[in-house]
Amino acid sequence: MNRNFADRLCAAVKLRRSHAVVGLDPVLPRLPEFIKREAAAQYGKTARGAAAAILAFNRLVIDAVADQVAAVKPQSAFHELYGEHGVAAFWETVRYARSKGLLVIADAKRGDIGSTAEGYASAYFGHPNPLETWEEPDQWADALTVNPYLGSDGLVPFVRRAEARGTGVFILVKTSNPSSGELQDQPLLSGETVADQVAKLVDSLGERLVGQSGYSAVGAVVGATYPEDLRHYRAEMPRAILLVPGYGAQGGTAADVVGAFNLDGLGAVVNASRSVIYAYPGTDPSPAEAAQAIAGAVEQMNREINSALRAAGKLAW
């Protein structure tokens, strides 16, 4: 597992011929009725029942997409809201995805300094030597999203742990939400924006973690909803893998994300959540209908992105 994360991700992308990442953002009211009925029958309409439903849904999605994508991205918040049972479902989801050959990007957007950052890094990446500490040896994610607002003090502990464990970090640079510019686009005295300064940090921190693929285990989050920014930050961080949210339900298209890729056809993975995991018709599909619709949505996403990359002369295969 200590192999460079960027190398592992690039290899998985090439193997699946897919730049897609499926976001696991399970919202209980939107889950298929058959899943909720089974969970309620076993545990009642309780936090434990909700967590059981979420885990069952995550497994259904993972089974449907495992042969078509390189990675999944479970969002911690949708699990944490059900307390200890939800957190347990999150980690069981991580383990299940890895058992299916997928890389797992934990979307938790952690960020703090000192011993607190070390604690978060341990929580998501584990100890470099699990035999030296009290922890579950298989409780770790392949990568983690990290908030840079506290500066390098809040990033270095995650980067160091990623280097020791062969995991990856995706630092928020230009996010896909409409209000991101309220802070990220603000100019500094240098004339650069706050996001520009974060991009410089990403490039600097990632220099030591460049693998054989030519990419670093320190990546960046840049949203598909800002295509011009994607092109700009692709140039500013040539060695970083860009995690690109905002595809699908948020309005990002295949044409929008082409600028996130280098000329070798690599350097970015594109996340879609709602447009994939809720692709089934209505609220009460059969298990087969739900799985087929989810798989079909990923197939279409792959086809659209690969077609756009081919047209731009950036297809890697």
Side-chain angles (χ1 to χ4, degrees):
M1 201 273 288
N2 286 331
R3 182 185 174 197
N4 181 279
F5 168 73
D7 291 348
R8 293 194 288 130
L9 181 56
C10 288
V13 164
K14 291 178 180 178
L15 177 66
R16 300 287 197 274
R17 296 196 168 193
S18 169
H19 298 284
V21 173
V22 174
L24 301 176
D25 299 4
V27 177
L28 195 62
R30 298 192 67 175
L31 305 192
E33 291 297 326
F34 74 86
I35 285 179
K36 291 186 286 188
R37 284 193 297 266
E38 291 175 8
Q42 189 168 3
Y43 300 110
K45 292 185 176 181
T46 62
R48 187 177 182 185
I54 284 172
L55 177 57
F57 179 68
N58 289 345
R59 285 173 169 166
L60 183 150
V61 174
I62 289 166
D63 287 343
V65 307
D67 62 345
Q68 296 193 76
V69 301
V72 291
K73 182 172 70 66
Q75 166 53 254
S76 183
F78 293 112
H79 300 76
E80 290 179 27
L81 67 92
Y82 296 109
E84 61 178 309
H85 302 293
V87 172
F90 175 88
W91 285 111
E92 187 56 39
T93 295
V94 171
R95 285 187 283 269
Y96 188 74
R98 283 210 310 271
S99 77
K100 296 295 182 177
L102 295 171
L103 298 178
V104 180
I105 302 168
D107 193 356
K109 299 180 177 70
R110 298 300 191 235
D112 214 315
I113 59 174
S115 60
T116 310
E118 293 285 355
Y120 281 134
S122 294
Y124 285 92
F125 293 155
H127 193 276
N129 184 355
L131 296 178
E132 295 180 0
T133 186
W134 294 23
E135 67 175 32
E136 294 293 331
D138 65 343
Q139 188 163 301
W140 52 270
D142 293 282
L144 175 68
T145 56
V146 178
N147 191 321
Y149 191 74
L150 286 91
S152 59
D153 286 347
L155 300 175
V156 169
F158 293 98
V159 173
R160 286 176 176 167
R161 186 58 56 90
E163 182 177 17
R165 289 281 285 169
T167 49
V169 176
F170 287 102
I171 299 170
L172 307 182
V173 172
K174 176 61 180 174
T175 56
S176 59
N177 57 302
S179 66
S180 63
E182 292 175 1
L183 290 178
Q184 296 163 13
D185 294 349
Q186 294 307 301
L188 303 172
L189 291 177
S190 65
E192 298 174 312
T193 67
V194 172
D196 288 337
Q197 187 61 37
V198 177
K200 285 186 173 181
L201 266 178
V202 170
D203 190 60
S204 175
L205 290 170
E207 187 174 3
R208 287 180 51 193
L209 277 73
V210 175
Q212 294 179 354
S213 62
Y215 290 97
S216 173
V218 179
V221 176
V222 183
T225 48
Y226 300 101
E228 291 295 329
D229 288 321
L230 267 180
R231 287 188 282 273
H232 171 67
Y233 290 114
R234 173 70 286 158
E236 292 296 304
M237 301 176 287
R239 299 171 295 198
I241 294 177
L242 304 186
L243 172 60
V244 184
Y247 188 95
Q250 286 184 262
T253 68
D256 293 331
V257 304
V258 167
F261 293 84
N262 282 318
L263 292 176
D264 62 2
L266 298 172
V269 287
V270 182
N271 180 81
S273 300
R274 287 169 287 172
S275 60
V276 171
I277 66 176
Y278 302 128
Y280 44 82
T283 60
D284 197 14
S286 70
E289 288 171 336
Q292 184 175 10
I294 292 167
V298 169
E299 183 180 0
Q300 180 179 346
M301 180 180 176
N302 281 334
R303 187 165 57 247
E304 290 173 352
I305 293 173
N306 287 340
S307 177
L309 289 172
R310 183 181 295 107
K314 290 185 176 181
L315 193 66
W317 38 80

